Amino acid sequence: MSGDTFNPGSRYPSSNHFDVIIVGAGIAGPALTYALSTIPKSPQDALRIALMDRSFVEPNRIVGELMQPGGMQALRELGMEDCVEGIDAIREYGYAVLYQGSTVHIPYPNNEEGRSFHHGRFVMKLREKARTGKGVEMIEATVSDLIESPEDGKVVGVRATRKAEDPSSAKLEEFYADIVFAADGWSSKFRSKILGAALREPKLKSHFVGFVLEDVTLPIPNHGTVALVPGTGPVLIYQIGARETRMLVDVQGGLPKDMAAYVQENIIPALPENMRDAILACLAKGKPKSMPNSFLPASLQGSKHHKPGAILLGDAWNMRHPLTGGGMTVALSDVVIVRRLLEPLVNDPTQSDATALQASQGPFANWDRMVPVLTDLHWQRKGLASTVNILSVALYDLFGAEDENLHVLREGCFKYFERGGACVSEPVSLLAGIAPRPLLLAYHFFAVAFYAIYILFTQPRLRKRVVLEEENDHIFADVSSEQIPQTETELVVPSYLDYPYLTFRSVAAVSAFQAASSPIRSYFALKLYTAAVVFLPLVWTEIRWW
């Protein structure tokens, strides 16, 4: 425990009793630990906080390495901005999108900056910061179960086994607290127990396969790179150190048995030539790590279905596709809100009464006072969380789907970014987590859809000019048709004769996008819907509260 040692007096019956227990020392756990430790106005009123994890060894993960400007803002609000110092972090100024041999620059607006780094190094800095908090105790133990009150079923603590040099000597212990936060990540063992009937199962979207490339120059230095690869999911590339660059390959469905061959055949040809040798060198080192990419909308906590006394946070509560790098931004912003909402409870003058303390009434002992806090948390986070969540899944469905008809919308999106101005600055503000405005997201979503159709009808397209010698005539075929001997190619602006075919492609594209995004895909994919129908299923996952 940092600061003073345990005082057996006041409201703590033993050294295993706390005001708060936080399970999981990844991103959200240490941030919440430090944030709560800064709430009390005087040192003598410090909360007792236990941060528990099965291992405090530096983790080795392939995601959680790109911090958006919104996440940096949250770190500053928490007083934890120094956690990105001393870890060889790279300043990030925006994105470069690669598509069909072209590159579009998407800078963060107003000189905003993000950071990219080794995930494990950042986590260790967060833990070091948490350890400095007044009243914090770091407990290296495997939490196996929640302790429930036999009277009302309220969670009153956890059962855990401390890490021991001799595993045979390890014993199961009980730790008690007024509130237990479960921030144990995407594979949370407590999610179903805490949410009960309100549980929503995570939906697997794809897998990221991670590689570390050495001494690579990106198309635009200090910018994350998104490469749209035909026939497969997008590839995300960013520096994590002065000499190291992370490459995340999105794979849909099952992972290939021969990942090296898959990368050489599908990925390398779509990337800049200067990356080829570094990728091949990385492939020669052995099997890469992979991570599932899941989507999990947040459920309202504190409802009648929710287990009282326990609260989910971080990926245990809410997940989105990591393509847009918004996970840490949402988690840290949630911590900012939690701290703000709990501060009035901690600094409530009525809680300093000696009688209340002798009666073991800590600031979080009354669950009825926590229910409105959780309701406020659910809705106050919506502006940022829903924007980041919807954007991540919509962009992935657009960039990662294999349906050929989605080429129309992908082309329109890329051309939309090429327009520059607000067509870039406002969408990237949404992605960066500095514009928590769902209506702005809806506006640009519709704008891209209509602009894609405009491009389809107005932009020159490459066509084959097929010469039939016997008939001494010319026939034009779309570039996607089968190869025919004796052909020539030329750029042709669509004429009114092409409009019926282009209208069909517009219908097919919107229907295909809807089929990729909607949970009722088999029915709606047969019909033409406006871009609103594409957008609404994702919006619905954010506004429903049960």
Side-chain angles (χ1 to χ4, degrees):
M1 178 175 178
S2 67
D4 298 336
T5 57
F6 168 67
N7 181 355
S10 75
R11 61 179 182 265
Y12 308 111
S14 75
S15 60
N16 277 14
H17 283 72
F18 303 86
D19 292 293
V20 179
I21 291 175
I22 300 170
V23 180
I27 301 296
L32 179 64
T33 299
Y34 181 77
L36 294 182
S37 75
T38 64
I39 292 180
K41 294 181 178 179
S42 59
Q44 60 268 27
D45 294 328
L47 299 170
R48 291 206 73 220
I49 306 167
L51 176 60
M52 309 181 75
D53 200 286
R54 66 176 180 271
S55 174
F56 288 135
V57 174
E58 182 176 318
N60 180 20
R61 295 185 65 197
I62 64 171
V63 293
E65 300 172 319
L66 182 59
M67 178 79 73
Q68 296 290 1
M72 293 299 298
Q73 290 182 1
L75 281 178
R76 286 191 288 271
E77 290 189 57
L78 295 170
M80 305 181 73
E81 64 271 24
D82 55 338
C83 291
V84 297
E85 304 298 330
I87 57 173
D88 196 23
I90 303 298
R91 295 177 184 270
E92 296 289 348
Y93 303 118
Y95 281 86
V97 180
L98 311 184
Y99 181 59
Q100 294 185 341
S102 299
T103 302
V104 62
H105 182 206
I106 306 179
Y108 292 136
N110 305 320
N111 298 316
E112 293 282 356
E113 295 181 5
R115 293 291 190 278
S116 55
F117 37 68
H118 282 269
H119 172 84
R121 296 176 188 174
F122 179 59
V123 168
M124 295 302 285
K125 293 287 282 190
L126 292 175
R127 292 172 178 174
E128 290 176 17
K129 190 71 172 181
R131 196 182 299 271
T132 67
K134 183 71 174 179
V136 172
E137 183 173 347
M138 310 278 284
I139 303 175
E140 195 170 29
T142 300
V143 179
S144 55
D145 197 11
L146 301 175
I147 302 174
E148 299 180 30
S149 168
E151 299 175 358
D152 56 9
K154 180 179 182 291
V155 173
V156 295
V158 300
R159 295 184 179 89
T161 304
R162 293 181 191 262
K163 186 176 182 180
E165 293 185 6
D166 181 8
S168 62
S169 65
K171 296 186 300 181
L172 187 67
E173 298 182 54
E174 293 186 344
F175 300 83
Y176 295 92
D178 292 331
I179 293 294
V180 174
F181 282 92
D184 54 336
W186 63 271
S187 60
S188 172
K189 67 170 68 173
F190 305 115
R191 182 187 295 127
S192 60
K193 195 166 193 177
I194 293 174
L195 293 180
L199 174 68
R200 305 188 210 177
E201 293 293 340
K203 180 181 179 181
L204 180 65
K205 302 290 291 185
S206 63
H207 287 81
F208 262 158
V209 181
F211 304 86
V212 176
L213 314 180
E214 295 183 354
D215 300 320
V216 166
T217 300
L218 295 178
I220 304 179
N222 296 96
H223 285 66
T225 300
V226 179
L228 308 185
V229 181
T232 185
V235 177
L236 181 59
I237 310 170
Y238 50 87
Q239 279 187 267
I240 55 175
R243 296 188 56 194
E244 296 166 304
T245 297
R246 172 71 72 190
M247 181 176 77
L248 295 173
V249 176
D250 185 82
V251 179
Q252 301 170 355
L255 293 173
K257 293 182 179 179
D258 189 343
M259 194 66 206
Y262 178 88
V263 171
Q264 292 183 56
E265 179 180 348
N266 298 283
I267 306 304
I268 291 180
L271 299 180
E273 181 64 28
N274 69 305
M275 294 184 181
R276 177 183 176 84
D277 291 342
I279 296 174
L280 292 176
C282 182
L283 293 175
K285 293 181 180 179
K287 186 177 180 180
K289 292 176 68 70
S290 64
M291 283 286 295
N293 299 326
S294 300
F295 176 56
L296 176 65
S299 298
L300 175 63
Q301 302 189 81
S303 68
K304 62 180 181 180
H305 303 297
H306 181 260
K307 179 69 68 176
I311 302 171
L312 293 170
L313 198 67
D315 283 353
W317 184 28
N318 183 207
M319 289 184 281
R320 76 287 310 147
H321 198 284
L323 173 65
T324 55
M328 290 189 292
T329 296
V330 172
L332 293 172
S333 298
D334 285 349
V335 171
V336 171
I337 298 173
V338 170
R339 186 197 183 283
R340 183 172 65 244
L341 294 174
L342 292 182
E343 184 171 11
L345 301 185
V346 175
N347 294 321
D348 185 347
T350 63
Q351 292 300 308
S352 62
D353 181 80
T355 304
L357 291 178
Q358 292 173 4
S360 301
Q361 290 297 310
F364 310 130
N366 187 346
W367 179 252
D368 289 338
R369 300 181 72 196
M370 292 298 299
V371 171
V373 168
L374 294 177
T375 302
D376 289 344
L377 169 63
H378 186 81
W379 295 111
Q380 288 185 24
R381 70 188 294 273
K382 278 299 178 184
L384 175 66
S386 62
T387 298
V388 173
N389 293 345
I390 293 171
L391 181 61
S392 73
V393 178
L395 279 181
Y396 179 73
D397 284 341
L398 178 60
F399 293 160
E402 298 182 3
D403 194 309
E404 291 184 2
N405 290 314
L406 285 171
H407 171 80
V408 175
L409 293 177
R410 279 195 295 264
E411 180 79 13
C413 186
F414 191 80
K415 294 291 185 183
Y416 189 78
F417 291 152
E418 286 184 332
R419 291 169 58 87
C423 295
V424 168
S425 63
E426 291 183 353
V428 78
S429 295
L430 298 167
L431 184 147
I434 55 178
R437 300 166 55 189
L439 290 179
L440 183 64
L441 172 60
Y443 167 79
H444 284 285
F445 186 90
F446 291 126
V448 166
F450 284 112
Y451 191 68
I453 296 175
Y454 168 79
I455 291 296
L456 183 64
F457 278 79
T458 61
Q459 294 294 303
R461 295 184 301 149
L462 192 64
R463 285 191 173 186
K464 297 173 186 175
R465 186 173 186 272
V466 184
V467 180
L468 302 179
E469 293 182 350
E470 295 181 359
E471 300 179 7
N472 193 26
D473 199 358
H474 299 91
I475 299 177
F476 290 91
D478 190 271
V479 72
S480 61
S481 59
E482 297 182 358
Q483 294 291 332
I484 302 176
Q486 302 176 351
T487 62
E488 299 176 359
T489 58
E490 60 183 3
L491 286 173
V492 178
V493 176
S495 68
Y496 69 92
L497 294 177
D498 297 301
Y499 287 179
Y501 169 70
L502 297 179
T503 300
F504 168 78
R505 289 205 63 189
S506 300
V507 171
V510 177
S511 297
F513 194 16
Q514 204 286 328
S517 301
S518 172
I520 324 175
R521 60 186 62 175
S522 62
Y523 175 76
F524 284 123
L526 301 176
K527 298 172 172 61
L528 170 64
Y529 278 79
T530 64
V533 180
V534 183
F535 197 67
L536 287 177
L538 294 174
V539 174
W540 177 245
T541 64
E542 291 296 326
I543 64 174
R544 60 171 293 193
W545 60 90
W546 62 88

